[in-house]
Amino acid sequence: MTDPTTASVPTAPSTRSDGAAPGRPVPDTPARSPWPALWALVIGFFMILVDTTIVSVANPAIKAALDPDTNNLDNVVWVTSAYLLAYAVPLLITGRLGDRFGPKNIYLIGLAIFTLASLGCGLSGSLEMLIAMRAVQGLGAALMTPQTMAVITRTFPPDRRGAAMGLWGATAGMATLVGPLAGGLLVDGFGWAWIFFINLPVGVIGFVLAWIFVPALETHPHRFDVVGVVLSAVALFLIVFGLQEGEKFSWAPWVWSMIAAGVVVMAVFIWTQARTKNEPLVPLDLFRERNFSLANLTIAAVGFTVTSMTLPLMFFVQLARGLTPTEAALLMIPMAVLSGVLAPLAGKLLDRSDPRLLLVPGLLMVAGSLFWYASLMNVDTPIWMFLLPSAVMGIGNAGMWGPLATTATRNLGPRQAGAGAGIYNTTRTIGSVIGSAAIAAVMQARLSANLPGASDAAGEFGGGTLPPFVLDGFSTAMAQSILVPAGVILVGVVAVLFLRRPPLTPQR
């Protein structure tokens, strides 16, 4: 077997992805390690993840600055949902773009868009402008993300991808540490806009390193299903808008009609994909492979859970308990440190073990930590106790991200790498965007149930610590809300029980 530090990038004659004339063979080049390329790509992936976690910590500050006159939490949640929606829809095609024009080229374009949109976010003077710029950020992130997984799939041998995915998982773990801490420090010290300005130097460094180290891989001609993209975009928008704004409009009949229409359009999209024989946007035959299907179902549950859990938790510790953004971020340190340290070890173990041995306990620990959080979310719990479920979640995360990605992509061939990575990341992001919309609706519903009439008291949730007479009701509402992601992650536990252990190549 080839050692992962010396696995060579494919050098067979192919079509160049660096702008050379189509059909010209790529000259043979000396074999080189794929690790520098992966490290260069990880910088951009890290920035995407950090940006998501930074915003979750900064949401109360953004609401206080740009939407101070209402108590409707749906408005500020659109800062996250717009990003995720614009991220999810193009993922179905950006993996194919990487196959067609080269993952390096598409990654660099996405990184440039993401970095420039970060500047626009920081300069936003209204909530509407910030939401629009976040949508542009999502487009850039959609161009970048599949290329990272495609490079791993195409440059690392199957029996060594666990180590590479371990780095991918460790990156997610470190992002959960750096994001909240950086967000807290930047919001407290300079203001919420700096959570976006910080992306500018990181984006420039990541661009230069990717330009130097990421190789030009073989390209494959593809057709692009524009109708499929439109149908999936319309379906997701109708579902997400209906879920997120339903409470605001008292779940009027037109809201339910919008959600139902979204489901119908999604069904039409799936039907058209099944009937499209010449490169459908979603190759449904990929789902005949059991592990790919179950890993996609599980990553949707994971995306829903990870995105939705942070909103009620951050609102609770900042508004009900009076923590600053930095202090709130410090509560996440055990999760981030343990996840970052243990994820590479989990990746190496996965190369020689049944994925269920990591995934089942990992997902159960994440679920358990969320139920634990819910039990602690009241005004009498000592703040230090929130460090305990954070540690449990960190251990669970280490056995979740990398093993799932490896299991989903292990059996994909080079020609399927872009489509498979695109589908996997789309599924994760669809879970995230539905989670963001759903948690906004649940939070607003539980606030209305526990604090009748609070939505009419403008400005009460605009920033700072809440007045004493609403603390108990607000805390109960946030605790009840976090039970939703706790229940959803249990769906993932059931799914991974049915995974099939893939054939593993003996290691040297």
Side-chain angles (χ1 to χ4, degrees):
M1 278 305 104
T2 308
D3 187 86
T5 59
T6 60
S8 62
V9 174
T11 57
S14 57
T15 304
R16 290 187 65 91
S17 62
D18 58 358
R24 179 181 298 177
V26 177
D28 290 341
T29 56
R32 59 175 174 173
S33 168
W35 285 94
L38 179 57
W39 278 105
L41 293 172
V42 157
I43 293 175
F45 181 58
F46 179 77
M47 183 171 67
I48 294 171
L49 294 174
V50 165
D51 196 73
T52 302
T53 53
I54 277 182
V55 172
S56 69
V57 173
N59 267 331
I62 292 173
K63 176 165 178 56
L66 300 181
D67 188 38
D69 299 325
T70 75
N71 278 333
N72 194 320
L73 300 181
D74 297 342
N75 297 337
V76 74
V77 174
W78 271 110
V79 175
T80 299
S81 294
Y83 170 82
L84 292 172
L85 191 60
Y87 187 10
V89 174
L91 279 172
L92 289 170
I93 201 169
T94 53
R96 296 289 183 84
L97 289 173
D99 282 346
R100 175 63 182 87
F101 299 106
K104 176 178 180 177
N105 294 333
I106 300 302
Y107 175 86
L108 291 174
I109 292 171
L111 181 55
I113 292 173
F114 187 93
T115 305
L116 292 173
S118 297
L119 177 62
C121 288
L123 296 176
S124 297
S126 67
L127 189 62
E128 291 77 14
M129 181 179 177
L130 177 58
I131 291 171
M133 287 295 100
R134 285 284 284 165
V136 178
Q137 263 194 325
L139 175 61
L143 290 167
M144 295 165 63
T145 302
Q147 317 317 325
T148 305
M149 288 186 67
V151 168
I152 292 174
T153 303
R154 295 173 63 177
T155 61
F156 286 85
D159 63 307
R160 297 288 184 167
R161 287 179 195 154
M165 288 299 183
L167 174 60
W168 188 79
T171 301
M174 289 304 298
T176 61
L177 170 62
V178 174
L181 283 178
L185 291 170
L186 290 169
V187 171
D188 286 339
F190 302 100
W192 65 266
W194 281 89
I195 68 174
F196 300 110
F197 290 148
I198 196 66
N199 289 338
L200 300 180
V202 178
V204 171
I205 293 170
F207 190 96
V208 172
L209 292 178
W211 182 276
I212 295 172
F213 290 111
V214 177
L217 298 176
E218 180 183 359
T219 60
H220 305 285
H222 286 293
R223 67 178 292 274
F224 298 103
D225 184 2
V226 177
V227 174
V229 173
V230 172
L231 286 173
S232 60
V234 171
L236 282 175
F237 176 80
L238 290 172
I239 293 171
V240 169
F241 186 90
L243 285 174
Q244 190 157 316
E245 298 296 311
E247 183 68 25
K248 178 179 178 180
F249 295 102
S250 302
W251 297 101
W254 67 266
V255 173
W256 288 111
S257 299
M258 176 175 283
I259 295 172
V263 173
V264 170
V265 175
M266 183 62 72
V268 172
F269 166 72
I270 295 172
W271 179 76
T272 61
Q273 296 304 291
R275 291 178 61 85
T276 301
K277 302 303 180 184
N278 185 14
E279 293 204 66
L281 191 60
V282 177
L284 296 180
D285 59 325
L286 284 176
F287 289 94
R288 294 174 183 170
E289 210 279 313
R290 180 196 292 186
N291 283 4
F292 183 80
S293 297
L294 293 173
N296 272 272
L297 174 60
T298 306
I299 199 62
V302 169
F304 183 108
T305 298
V306 171
T307 300
S308 59
M309 62 155 281
T310 57
L311 290 169
L313 182 60
M314 287 296 116
F315 273 106
F316 168 76
V317 296
Q318 292 185 50
L319 298 187
R321 300 304 301 269
L323 271 61
T324 66
T326 301
E327 292 168 341
L330 290 173
L331 296 178
M332 311 302 287
I333 284 182
M335 175 181 68
V337 170
L338 288 170
S339 178
V341 169
L342 296 177
L345 302 177
K348 292 179 181 178
L349 179 61
L350 184 68
D351 283 333
R352 57 181 69 90
S353 66
D354 188 325
R356 290 171 293 187
L357 296 178
L358 293 170
L359 287 168
V360 172
L363 292 166
L364 282 174
M365 293 181 82
V366 172
S369 66
L370 291 173
F371 285 112
W372 196 352
Y373 270 128
S375 70
L376 298 177
M377 290 171 71
N378 58 73
V379 295
D380 298 319
T381 301
I383 286 297
W384 67 266
M385 289 191 67
F386 286 88
L387 297 171
L388 303 179
S390 176
V392 174
M393 180 168 287
I395 299 172
N397 270 309
M400 181 173 72
W401 291 103
L404 264 181
T406 304
T407 301
T409 60
R410 188 187 294 272
N411 295 327
L412 298 184
R415 188 172 177 82
Q416 296 174 315
I423 292 171
Y424 181 82
N425 283 288
T426 299
T427 305
R428 172 177 60 83
T429 311
I430 287 173
S432 296
V433 73
I434 293 177
S436 176
I439 201 67
V442 171
M443 288 166 62
Q444 203 65 44
R446 299 324 302 158
L447 283 172
S448 298
N450 289 280
L451 292 170
S455 60
D456 299 324
E460 198 169 279
F461 301 156
T465 306
L466 295 173
F469 69 92
V470 301
L471 285 178
D472 286 338
F474 183 85
S475 300
T476 300
M478 295 301 103
Q480 292 170 347
S481 298
I482 209 169
L483 292 175
V484 173
V488 169
I489 198 69
L490 291 176
V491 176
V493 176
V494 175
V496 298
L497 290 174
F498 294 93
L499 287 174
R500 179 184 292 117
R501 175 174 176 167
L504 303 176
T505 306
Q507 306 234 337
R508 282 198 306 178

